Amino acid sequence: EECGIDFLFMPYSFKAGRSLGYAFLNFRAPDFASRFKKNWHRQYLRAHGGRTKRLDVTEATVQGVGANMQQFNKKNVGRLQRTNMLPIFLDETAKRLDPVQELCRHGVLPNTHGDQV
């Protein structure tokens, strides 16, 4: 089955040293997003410390991989890279792609190696 997600990012608080507790997913097509919401919205997740939390699935203001890439810049990508919190990119088979190459391909980072991306 085709992987419906091509981009996942969990914002990170450098001050607190942890994720902010939410994530952004980009779906390849609206039907993938609809199925995800139907299956996961308001489901309980076990949080750290034994507490439970309901998942709240909503549409983001920013839609599409390209538009999401515009949220990044060289400085914050460098900080995310040092903390191993770069976005995750997936191909159609759910294979994880190299995030630095994908950020170069989307024009967020310069392609300094001369590689074709």
Side-chain angles (χ1 to χ4, degrees), residues 7 9 65-66 68-74 76-78 80-81 85-89 97-111 117:
F7 171 82
F9 178 64
V65 175
N68 275 289
M69 292 301 94
Q70 293 177 13
Q71 307 299 311
F72 294 95
N73 61 46
K74 189 176 178 178
N76 66 19
V77 166
L80 292 169
Q81 193 169 13
M85 294 298 293
L86 285 172
I88 294 171
F89 297 90
L97 304 172
D98 181 283
V100 173
Q101 283 186 347
E102 289 301 299
L103 290 165
C104 289
R105 189 169 72 83
H106 288 283
V108 175
L109 294 176
N111 186 3
V117 287

Side-chain angles (χ1 to χ4, degrees), residues 22-26 57-65 67-68 70-71:
Y22 56 91
F24 295 96
L25 287 79
N26 191 72
V57 178
T58 59
E59 284 185 23
T61 305
V62 176
Q63 295 289 317
V65 175
N68 275 289
Q70 293 177 13
Q71 307 299 311

Side-chain angles (χ1 to χ4, degrees), residues 20-96:
L20 296 177
Y22 56 91
F24 295 96
L25 287 79
N26 191 72
F27 295 91
R28 295 181 191 283
D31 62 310
F32 288 120
S34 296
R35 281 188 280 161
F36 183 87
K37 185 172 184 173
K38 181 181 176 189
N39 290 329
W40 288 100
H41 184 63
R42 307 303 290 158
Q43 294 295 313
Y44 281 102
L45 297 179
R46 180 164 295 283
H48 297 284
R51 300 169 300 172
T52 56
K53 182 177 181 174
R54 279 189 186 257
L55 191 60
D56 186 20
V57 178
T58 59
E59 284 185 23
T61 305
V62 176
Q63 295 289 317
V65 175
N68 275 289
M69 292 301 94
Q70 293 177 13
Q71 307 299 311
F72 294 95
N73 61 46
K74 189 176 178 178
K75 181 181 176 185
N76 66 19
V77 166
R79 293 177 78 192
L80 292 169
Q81 193 169 13
R82 286 190 297 278
T83 57
N84 201 27
M85 294 298 293
L86 285 172
I88 294 171
F89 297 90
L90 303 169
D91 72 7
E92 295 83 3
T93 66
K95 179 184 170 208
R96 199 166 171 170

